[in-house]
Amino acid sequence: MKKNNMVAMILAGGRGSRLFDLTKKVAKPAVHFGGKYRIIDFALSNCANSHISTVGVLVQYESILLSSYSARSSTWGLDSKGGGVYVLSPREKDETGLGLYNGTADAIYQNLDFLDQEEAEYVLVLSGDHIYKMNYEKMLQKHIESKAEATIAVIEVPKKEASRFGIMNTDSTDRIVEFEEKPKEPKSNLASMGVYIFNYRTLRRYLREDAKNSESAHDFGKNVIPAYLNDGLKLQAYRFKGYWKDVGTIDSLWEANMDLLKDNSGLDLFDPSWKIYTDDASATPQCIGSKAKLNNAFITQGAVINGEVNHSVIFSGTRIEEGAKVTESVIMNDAVVGKNAKLTRCLVADGIRIPEGMVLGKKNSDEILLVSKALIAKAGENHE
């Protein structure tokens, strides 16, 4: 058996439609973040740093790039003997035929044979599209000590925002007594992080029962967790105190990148004790030109800066030309900001070329402007 007998299963098949053009041809977990990373690097690095040797990555939507990327086990130090990263896509089976993953619980159910093969005692279920650093070994230790059938990681959120999340109501010992999915009037502010540890033998039984229910959404939050509670099984909350963000919208992805510029956000990518690993593709050195002006900027290798950058995150391969001004913006890989262009509170997609002199975004806007090829074309027409 593997160390800790725990197998991690990363749910990475989501479409990510709220990220619009960023996920038209790329699965959400493969979207770039923080200059040189991809979102899924965080879940994979957490597994590596938590000494989990076997990781399944469940892919579905636009899976080619994500599959080839995730399969490079050595990137995260997950290429040990008897372990590694296994890319698990929907397969045609004798009893079910060819189908897609129809919910988070169904995705795990369709891979019970993989978990059986790995002789899992515990199953760690993760989302592949969250930004955070977490020691899953500590969570497993608490799970074992509490003698729970399932442990769910929770984080305190502002009470006014609690209705956006699945909320866990607990007793004085943090045993979960009720689960509310996006309640209008939440009873607590303990939001589910989408990080679960299950005793595999029990989970296996419940997933098989759920698969038989034609009326089920085959979802952990909507079906499996409530079934555990209805049957009186012990579910424990694990309180997480660190940084965590679901980057499922343009605004939240921009915010998470901006957090890299803060001294006290809790998102530290320079901590040698808990590294976030990535496929660090070869890039030219960072180049800051003689006329460049930088103020609180996060500049990645391969970037060339000849203009002005204020409170912004600049990804690998990007060029900021002379006279250009970038303010409170995230400029993703291989983009070019032309001479004398002005960008404010923008998120520029990979490979976008901002024409010379173009002005985009507003300083006091509540929303972040996603700069895509379609927007550039439309802006160009209006300019003419």
Side-chain angles (χ1 to χ4, degrees), residues 41 45 69-79 277-280:
D41 287 339
S45 296
Y69 181 77
S70 301
R72 301 166 194 164
S73 303
S74 59
T75 298
W76 301 276
L78 291 168
D79 55 346
Y277 301 97
T278 190
D279 182 16
D280 202 358

Side-chain angles (χ1 to χ4, degrees), residues 274-295:
W274 200 272
K275 292 182 179 180
I276 301 301
Y277 301 97
T278 190
D279 182 16
D280 202 358
S282 298
T284 57
Q286 177 193 98
C287 179
I288 308 299
S290 61
K291 295 184 178 181
K293 295 180 180 180
L294 302 178
N295 177 35

Side-chain angles (χ1 to χ4, degrees), residues 71-93:
R72 301 166 194 164
S73 303
S74 59
T75 298
W76 301 276
L78 291 168
D79 55 346
S80 62
K81 183 178 180 181
V85 178
Y86 298 82
V87 177
L88 305 171
S89 57
R91 296 161 287 151
E92 184 172 5
K93 297 180 180 179

Side-chain angles (χ1 to χ4, degrees), residues 159-163 167 169 180 183-189:
K159 197 68 178 287
K160 63 182 180 180
E161 297 180 13
S163 59
I167 296 298
N169 299 319
E180 299 178 283
K184 292 182 179 180
E185 298 182 4
K187 298 175 185 177
S188 82
N189 66 337

